[in-house]
Amino acid sequence: MDPRIFCIGRNYVEHIRELGHPEDGDCVVFMKPATCLVPPGSAVSIPTDRGSVHHEAELVVRIGRAVRDEPPTETADAVDALALGLDLTLRDEQTRLRDGGKPWELAKAFDHSAPLGPFTPWRGDVSLNAIEFSCHVNGELRQQGNTCQMLFSIERIISILSRSWQLLPGDLIYTGTPAGVGALRPGDVVELDSSVLQSAQWPIVGYDALQKLG
């Protein structure tokens, strides 16, 4: 069974401010289908006719046991593994949808919009609230964040999601992005790094280029 992909928006204050979003204190949740996933090293195909495509580097959590309506104090042991990933966003499309009061899926849930790096098993040896990670594009540092900067901790995110869904082993949670998001173009190479997690890299191509690679 394909994993469900839960995504958390507006979880870092500086990212909220750089996009001019309201700081309303709500936990923003949206989902992506499994066709959004791209393994490390594989080409990530982005649309070239729908405006700007932005990278959003994130820590990704994999769930290891069923979770249903649990408080944050009981959810840490539900984490099975951690990885780095990208929440790719059609920024112009998102702005149009947001301004119209409509859902974001057209801007967030298109194919190849959730590249996912290799997982590192988590057994409680690394603090979930002190993980640093960074995003480079063509060797240039674009984003740098630490999970201690999250408005909603990993434990709290799992608790919030478990109120509406029974989380199942294999479910994925993209936990939000720090400031520094920016546009990607065909020909770019994106690399995610962390001192405690495995790095990952993806070449970016356009739809036409991917078809030619076919």
Side-chain angles (χ1 to χ4, degrees):
M1 184 174 66
D2 289 332
R4 292 178 297 179
I5 305 170
F6 298 92
C7 301
I8 305 301
R10 303 179 185 176
N11 202 21
Y12 288 78
V13 170
E14 293 305 316
H15 174 59
I16 294 173
R17 291 173 180 170
E18 75 177 340
L19 294 184
H21 290 158
E23 298 179 41
D24 55 17
D26 286 338
C27 184
V28 177
V29 179
F30 57 95
M31 298 180 73
K32 299 189 183 218
T35 53
C36 296
L37 297 172
V38 183
S42 296
V44 172
S45 172
I46 63 173
T48 57
D49 60 350
R50 297 174 62 190
S52 181
V53 180
H54 279 199
H55 59 80
E56 297 188 7
E58 312 205 356
L59 180 78
V60 182
V61 171
R62 187 174 71 194
I63 296 297
R65 66 166 176 83
V67 188
R68 179 60 177 169
D69 200 15
E70 295 185 13
T73 53
E74 298 179 7
T75 60
D77 72 344
V79 177
D80 170 60
L82 304 170
L84 300 174
L86 290 168
D87 168 21
L88 298 184
T89 303
L90 286 161
R91 190 65 70 200
D92 299 327
E93 189 88 338
Q94 184 192 32
T95 299
R96 180 184 67 82
L97 293 167
R98 183 192 67 192
D99 291 349
K102 298 176 182 177
W104 294 356
E105 275 76 7
L106 290 176
K108 288 281 195 178
F110 55 95
D111 287 350
H112 282 207
S113 65
L116 180 63
F119 277 101
T120 298
W122 187 79
R123 299 293 180 265
D125 49 333
V126 174
S127 171
L128 294 175
N129 300 306
I131 299 175
E132 294 185 7
F133 59 97
S134 62
C135 172
H136 289 78
V137 179
N138 303 327
E140 174 191 356
L141 179 63
R142 294 279 188 90
Q143 293 182 269
Q144 195 158 24
N146 190 307
T147 55
C148 69
Q149 301 165 339
M150 288 181 173
L151 295 173
F152 298 90
S153 68
I154 290 172
E155 296 92 337
R156 190 175 173 197
I157 289 169
I158 295 173
S159 176
I160 290 170
L161 294 176
S162 76
R163 295 175 194 166
S164 297
W165 299 274
Q166 181 180 28
L167 300 180
L168 302 173
D171 283 345
L172 305 176
I173 305 173
Y174 282 62
T175 58
T177 196
V181 301
L184 293 174
R185 298 173 180 81
D188 287 343
V189 176
V190 184
E191 183 171 6
L192 303 181
D193 291 292
S194 170
S195 61
V196 295
L197 302 176
Q198 298 181 69
S199 63
Q201 186 178 93
W202 296 270
I204 305 299
V205 300
Y207 278 159
D208 291 343
L210 185 66
Q211 291 166 359
K212 290 177 183 177
L213 289 173

